[in-house]
Amino acid sequence: MPKLCIISGSGLSASAGLSTFRGPDGLWRNHDPMTLATPEAWQRDRHLVTEFYNERRAKAWQAEPTAAHRAIARLEEGFETTIVTQNVDSLHERAGSSRVLHLHGELDRVRDTADPNQRKDLHGAAVDPDEQTPGGGYWRPNVVWFGETIHHYDEALDAVASADRLIVVGTSLTVQPAASMMLYAADQAEKVVVNAEPLDLPEGFRFIQTPADEALPALAKQWLGHV
Ligand code: APR
């Protein structure tokens, strides 16, 4: 089976009602990431940070996979697919995709500050910022904050470099190292970028300026030869 890699960003989940980061109603337009999404912010105000992620987790848990998420899952009928996502929601998995690498972690998981191997899945539930963990620490969101190391980097890079086809969808390509991963795609790979707004792209990338919920089902139909 030919190999397909999808690099996805928050624009993919926008139509599910989840905020992007830099759009008109983006999260970072209405909140200062330095007070909510850094290890220092957690040290400074664990309750504020926990509350911010509790709200995002509840919203993400109530959201439904979009037509684009479902089209991406359908592409597994014809391609060995790896998803390299910047998103912390679980909409890819709930749409049926089987291999999802979360570069920036997962909203629905928390880990013990006293023992990073102690984790638990919340199934949308809120965390009590004062609940002590088995190791005597607190439960922090298992998301990657600014200044922290992204997850699955080597595995993700390998998926991009070995892909016969690459789709980059719903990302402003502004946060490194995720933004540069697409550059590791093979010259001969078919490379498509789907975004609502224009992007500066290197040579060799076909740009489709269309909402993901239209572009991805059309690509799936074209590449699978049926709906
Ligand atoms: N279809 C396609 N693209 C869309 C849609 C849509 N329906 N809606 C929005 N977009 C595009 C926007 O035009 C924008 O270019 O999605 C992109 C979203 O960009 P950002 O808000 O910057 O989100 P993202 O690229 O995922 O951010 C990367 O930044 O703060 C960190 O950890 C956070 O993972 C996030 C990372």
Side-chain angles (χ1 to χ4, degrees):
M1 241 185 192
K3 290 188 173 181
L4 167 65
C5 183
I6 310 272
I7 297 176
S8 64
S10 64
L12 189 70
S13 302
S15 65
L18 300 184
S19 300
T20 60
F21 291 91
R22 295 166 187 84
D25 62 345
L27 272 176
W28 300 150
R29 286 286 170 87
N30 303 312
H31 299 281
D32 174 5
M34 294 305 122
T35 63
L36 292 164
T38 63
E40 296 74 22
W42 170 262
Q43 294 303 331
R44 206 171 31 245
D45 192 341
R46 180 178 81 247
H47 291 75
L48 174 69
V49 173
T50 300
E51 186 45 44
F52 175 65
Y53 284 94
N54 279 346
E55 282 171 18
R56 287 185 64 197
R57 184 178 312 109
K59 267 197 193 138
W61 194 254
Q62 284 144 17
E64 289 297 325
T66 65
H69 287 102
R70 292 195 302 274
I72 288 169
R74 242 191 347 268
L75 279 161
E76 291 191 8
E77 294 165 16
F79 297 88
E80 185 187 327
T81 303
T82 300
I83 296 169
V84 172
T85 188
Q86 299 172 85
N87 298 340
V88 291
D89 61 55
S90 53
L91 296 180
H92 278 300
E93 292 88 339
R94 287 167 52 203
S97 289
S98 48
R99 186 169 187 239
V100 185
L101 303 175
H102 285 271
L103 297 178
H104 295 164
E106 297 172 83
L107 204 46
D108 203 53
R109 183 162 292 175
V110 286
R111 69 172 188 263
D112 180 349
T113 53
D115 173 5
N117 296 319
Q118 279 283 346
R119 301 181 177 195
K120 68 176 179 180
D121 292 332
L122 294 166
H123 309 293
V127 173
D128 171 358
D130 294 323
E131 178 189 342
Q132 290 266 295
T133 63
Y138 296 102
W139 292 110
R140 66 152 278 181
N142 193 41
V143 300
V144 178
W145 284 328
F146 290 100
E148 294 186 319
T149 308
I150 73 170
H151 298 173
H152 309 296
Y153 183 74
D154 294 338
E155 218 180 331
L157 220 45
D158 182 54
V160 173
S162 59
D164 300 297
R165 299 195 193 193
L166 172 72
I167 301 174
V168 180
V169 51
T171 174
S172 62
L173 296 171
T174 46
V175 172
Q176 298 299 352
S180 300
M181 284 188 158
M182 59 194 266
L183 306 177
Y184 289 82
D187 289 347
Q188 71 274 18
E190 182 169 353
K191 302 179 276 291
V192 179
V193 178
V194 173
N195 208 57
E197 292 156 352
L199 292 169
D200 280 336
L201 296 172
E203 284 295 306
F205 287 80
R206 177 159 66 97
F207 182 51
I208 302 175
Q209 186 167 347
T210 305
D213 286 343
E214 290 168 40
L216 272 294
L219 272 172
K221 184 174 176 187
Q222 184 190 351
W223 287 2
L224 293 172
H226 58 81
V227 174

